[in-house]
Amino acid sequence: KILSLADIVKEDKKTTFAEFVKKELKAWAPNGAEIGPVVFTEEVDNLKFESFQNWSLDEENLILYFSQYEIGPGVLGPVAFPLPLTKIKDFLN
C-alpha cells in the first residue's frame, strides 16, 4: 500500500506540522551556508499540509520534495528537505 503523509502524521497535528515545516524551511541553509533565507518566504507562507505530496522516509529523516522554483530560486534546483525524525516524532502516528 502506498501511504500518504496524512497516514503518518496525526490528524490533529497536521496544521501544527505544516507550521513547523514552514519555520524550518525559512531557517534552512543548504550545506551549512550562512547566507540568510534561501527560500521565497511568501511561497513558503502559502504552503499547507496538502502541499506536502512528495515525500519519503528513511531511518533518520522524513524528506519532503519540492520542484525547482516551488519554494526558492532556480539555483536551488529541486529541493529534498530532510526533517530529522527526532524533531518531528510528536507529529507522527
Side-chain angles (χ1 to χ4, degrees):
K1 176 182 176 187
I2 297 176
L3 298 174
S4 72
L5 195 57
D7 293 324
I8 66 165
V9 173
K10 295 176 184 174
E11 183 67 35
D12 63 334
K13 299 277 187 178
K14 289 179 182 177
T15 302
T16 311
F17 177 80
E19 293 304 315
F20 175 79
V21 171
K22 292 192 274 190
K23 179 181 75 86
E24 292 292 306
L25 279 168
K26 289 177 187 176
W28 177 52
N31 301 322
E34 294 183 26
I35 55 175
V38 295
V39 296
F40 296 144
T41 305
E42 186 175 303
E43 294 302 320
V44 170
D45 285 340
N46 290 331
L47 294 173
K48 301 179 197 106
F49 182 80
E50 295 76 23
S51 304
F52 311 132
Q53 295 294 313
N54 299 310
W55 61 279
S56 65
L57 197 57
D58 66 22
E59 294 179 12
E60 297 179 9
N61 299 293
L62 171 75
I63 304 157
L64 298 174
Y65 297 95
F66 299 95
S67 300
Q68 187 173 13
Y69 305 108
E70 186 176 358
I71 60 166
V75 70
L76 287 178
V79 173
F81 184 68
L83 291 163
L85 295 176
T86 54
K87 281 187 162 185
I88 62 169
K89 65 183 179 206
D90 293 338
F91 296 107
L92 305 178
N93 286 323

